[in-house]
Amino acid sequence: VQLQASGGGSVQARGSLRLSCAASGPSFGYSLIAWFRQAPGKEREGVSCGSRVGGTIYYADSVKGRFTISRDNTKNTFHLQMNSLKPEDTAVYYCAARTNKVPGRTCLNSIVYNDWGQGTQVTVSS
């Protein structure tokens, strides 16, 4: 599956952004979706993940209550709604997908993913 992330930008603290990830290609039979982020000098961090259809959505503690993942399977697209943004949310955000599911919060681990979007920059100023 090919993934195309979009929706990044610059925003002031406490603002909102909505990221989108569009999936395409001949083998878009993916079951697991996720968002990751990577700030300069830091490792890639799992932000949110879950099944493409229904099921539990998992969030990193740092974004719980502020970020929400949603799915639009009619358009093969999933989103990350980010509210109450903080300067520490500044990073390049990546979407990811995997053919098969993994148990629980394992989906927040970047090594389980086969396919990645190109990344979109999110900058939050204080």
Side-chain angles (χ1 to χ4, degrees):
V1 60
Q2 289 81 46
L3 302 173
Q4 180 75 32
S6 62
S10 297
V11 64
Q12 290 190 327
R14 296 180 295 281
S16 297
L17 282 174
R18 186 183 190 227
L19 306 183
S20 296
C21 185
S24 62
S27 58
F28 50 83
Y30 56 100
S31 298
L32 199 62
I33 59 173
W35 287 97
F36 288 81
R37 67 185 181 186
Q38 189 165 19
K42 294 188 176 182
E43 294 185 354
R44 191 166 295 191
E45 173 191 22
V47 173
S48 181
C49 62
S51 172
R52 185 168 73 99
V53 180
T56 303
I57 298 295
Y58 298 93
Y59 296 94
D61 289 343
S62 58
V63 307
K64 200 173 296 183
R66 301 187 297 122
F67 290 12
T68 304
I69 203 169
S70 62
R71 301 151 283 196
D72 184 349
N73 292 317
T74 63
K75 299 180 179 179
N76 284 320
T77 303
F78 55 100
H79 310 279
L80 184 69
Q81 178 66 43
M82 305 185 294
N83 298 328
S84 301
L85 282 161
K86 304 175 181 180
E88 51 263 44
D89 294 319
T90 295
V92 177
Y93 282 71
Y94 299 88
C95 56
R98 176 186 163 94
T99 304
N100 302 313
K101 296 180 183 180
V102 296
R105 295 181 67 85
T106 307
C107 64
L108 287 172
N109 192 329
S110 62
I111 65 171
V112 308
Y113 291 92
N114 318 108
D115 300 298
W116 292 86
Q118 82 287 6
T120 184
Q121 176 71 46
V122 171
T123 303
V124 184
S125 58
S126 57

